[in-house]
Amino acid sequence: MKVLILPDRAAAIARVAEIIVAQVSCAPASVLGLATGGTMLPVYAHLREAHRGGLSLARITSFNLDEYVGLPPDHPASYHCYMRENLFDGTDADAARIHLPRGDAPDPQQEADRYEAKIEAVGGIDLQLLGIGRNGHIGFNEPTSSLGSRTRVKTLTEDTRMANLRFFDDEAQVPQFAITMGIQTILSARHCLLLATGRKKAAAVRGMVEGPVSAFCPASALQMHPRATVVLDPDAAEALTLRNYYDHIHPGGRSRLYSELHRG
Ligand code: GLP
């Protein structure tokens, strides 16, 4: 796991955007796994800016991590709506290659199976963007999610429902269930890129990076991934025991190559 601690929140966001832009520039037909949540809003603002500066999204294929069960794509709190408003509208992304699970599918589990099969059919995800919940969830894989899980329906914890209440009119509107890529679906991506900012994420970040690999902290499964990059601001990195070590390896969150350090 590569842990990059940037000097501040804005720099952490910019670093993540830079990695995504580099991916799409080098491989315009990349398959991107995309995330939602407040943390990603400024990342998508950077991508829209990059698009205005000439970056084309026309050939990408995308798969979002999750969607609330019961919400149709035009519901303002749906992740379909979030992605259109915050990233895709006004870009040249091809709507036919943008994928999110349908929250309003008559049979949500069948929809989850169809979604998983679609990811496989395009050859898997090149770069999976991730946020982290305060309880260590990734996607909507709540604590005790099987580390071997694939896309399926999950019951949301009350903590997660309350954390997302701000996107709904009132508590009763916050869905109880979501369709989410499973932990194993996420681990199948060729590169996982997780962004966490703010003190509220510090405990979850510690569990993910330094805790035991455990279904109790689903993000800790990333320790098993051969190419996982975790980008943090100082607040989110606050509880890390080996923080100085991560700083030493990647000062200021920049990658340093072993070969450069040991020249001559
Ligand atoms: C939701 C999403 C996650 C996201 C998490 C954190 O639960 N399903 O993908 O990582 O929220 O959201 P925020 O960035 O708003 O803290």
Side-chain angles (χ1 to χ4, degrees), residues 16-262:
V16 164
E18 179 185 282
I19 295 170
I20 302 169
V21 169
Q23 171 74 37
V24 176
S25 304
C26 294
S30 289
V31 180
L32 302 181
L34 297 176
T36 50
T39 310
M40 296 305 152
L41 292 172
V43 173
Y44 293 147
H46 271 270
L47 295 186
R48 288 204 313 272
E49 180 72 37
H51 173 66
R52 285 192 290 275
L55 180 79
S56 174
L57 301 179
R59 293 178 59 206
I60 64 154
T61 295
S62 72
F63 288 91
N64 263 76
L65 282 164
D66 44 20
E67 178 60 286
Y68 292 109
V69 169
L71 300 196
D74 59 354
H75 189 289
S78 72
Y79 287 164
H80 279 80
C81 205
Y82 171 107
M83 291 308 297
R84 279 196 305 273
E85 276 178 10
N86 297 303
L87 180 59
F88 292 126
D89 279 358
T91 73
D92 59 350
D94 179 356
R97 283 204 297 273
I98 293 170
H99 305 282
L100 291 96
R102 287 284 302 231
D104 59 348
D107 181 340
Q109 187 49 54
Q110 203 175 67
E111 170 66 3
D113 294 342
R114 185 196 64 83
Y115 198 69
E116 182 77 31
K118 221 171 189 174
I119 297 172
E120 226 178 286
V122 302
I125 291 170
D126 295 309
L127 177 64
Q128 176 66 58
L129 182 60
L130 296 161
I132 186 169
R134 291 185 305 204
N135 62 6
H137 75 226
I138 46 176
F140 269 132
N141 292 284
E142 298 282 35
T144 72
S145 286
S146 161
L147 300 185
S149 53
R150 295 280 173 181
T151 308
R152 70 218 182 290
V153 177
K154 283 298 292 179
T155 306
L156 304 180
T157 62
E158 275 313 289
D159 185 54
T160 296
R161 290 185 67 242
M162 290 313 105
N164 288 309
L165 174 59
R166 64 193 193 280
F167 298 109
F168 294 84
D169 291 338
D170 62 67
E171 198 179 320
Q173 309 274 314
V174 186
Q176 307 268 0
F177 305 99
I179 298 174
T180 179
M181 282 187 200
I183 306 274
Q184 205 52 235
T185 318
I186 292 168
L187 292 182
S188 300
R190 287 177 271 283
H191 182 189
C192 287
L193 174 63
L194 186 142
L195 171 65
T197 56
R199 218 158 252 148
K200 283 185 184 156
K201 301 293 173 72
V205 165
R206 180 171 182 185
M208 164 176 67
V209 177
E210 297 179 337
V213 174
S214 157
F216 195 68
C217 177
S220 66
L222 291 172
Q223 292 176 29
M224 305 293 289
H225 196 284
R227 194 172 172 216
T229 304
V230 172
V231 179
L232 305 172
D233 71 352
D235 284 345
E238 182 183 76
L240 292 172
T241 306
L242 294 182
R243 188 188 160 152
N244 290 343
Y245 177 58
Y246 312 133
D247 272 332
H248 171 65
I249 309 170
H250 303 295
R254 292 280 134 197
S255 296
R256 270 207 305 182
L257 295 176
Y258 178 81
S259 55
E260 282 171 13
L261 292 177
H262 296 267

